Amino acid sequence: RLTTHPTNIIPRDVIAFLFTILHILFRFYFIKFFIDNIEYIIIDGDSTDGTMGIVGEYSGRIAHVVSEKDNGIYEAMNKGIKLATGDYVGILNSDDFFSSDDVVSKMVAFLNENRCDAVYGDVHYVACENVAKMTRYYSSRQFRRWMMRFGFMPAHPSFYVRSDLFKKLGYYSTDYKIAADFELILRYIFVNSIDARYLPLDFVTMR
């Protein structure tokens, strides 16, 4: 499922560096591009808005597609993570998209050079009716591990972590409806002190 053909986006020296991106999508047309050596996984909540018809048009580039009822977004995330075969997993939620075409290649180069457990960066929010209008910039630059005691965390949509850590440290807790992303990062960074490093880059645009 993972091609090893070089592309003009990912440098040749990191082609063998397997990378996984998990997409949790309900509107697949927000994906702007496909990249070789990336494993695309789509988890859909049994939607009826035509999503799966759009997904079917790209079936040749998608490793796994699951469309079924679930008990919330965190169960959906866990489903996708358990299907992933790459070295790192990240999550791109519905309506979100990468802020620039070189986000993934810069992330891969950073991980390939540093060999850390996880990477995180910045995200920004835009108006629903106008994606060119930024309403908030969320920078993770000042984040330090101790800050999690006070509820501060790196931007979750920018958090890409080694896939083997999920088996070691656990998945997203389905006991939480809206805070499982904070709890997982707390468990990984604060409690278990994984080697998570900041990449000064705007990763994701969020509506």
Side-chain angles (χ1 to χ4, degrees), residues 97-150:
F97 53 90
F98 293 120
S99 297
S100 62
D101 291 355
D102 60 357
V103 168
V104 175
S105 60
K106 287 182 177 179
M107 195 190 321
V108 170
F110 181 87
L111 289 167
N112 194 39
E113 178 181 356
N114 292 277
R115 300 291 177 175
C116 49
D117 293 327
V119 63
Y120 59 88
D122 304 340
V123 301
H124 76 276
Y125 296 80
V126 296
C128 291
E129 68 282 359
N130 182 8
V131 296
K133 181 181 179 181
M134 183 171 68
T135 58
R136 179 190 177 196
Y137 192 89
Y138 187 121
S139 175
S140 302
R141 181 183 294 275
Q142 301 301 322
F143 172 77
R144 299 294 183 271
R145 179 174 168 269
W146 59 267
M147 292 179 177
M148 297 206 75
R149 290 180 177 270
F150 303 98

Side-chain angles (χ1 to χ4, degrees), residues 2 38 61 75 83 97 122 140 173 184-185 187 195 198:
L2 295 178
I38 304 298
R61 305 300 301 273
E75 183 184 54
L83 290 171
F97 53 90
D122 304 340
S140 302
S173 173
L184 181 134
I185 292 178
R187 187 177 351 124
D195 181 11
Y198 173 70

Side-chain angles (χ1 to χ4, degrees), residues 71-75 78 171-181 183-184 187:
N71 293 314
I73 189 171
Y74 298 118
E75 183 184 54
N78 289 338
Y171 296 84
Y172 288 94
S173 173
T174 55
D175 293 334
Y176 299 92
K177 289 186 178 295
I178 60 172
D181 47 355
E183 189 278 330
L184 181 134
R187 187 177 351 124

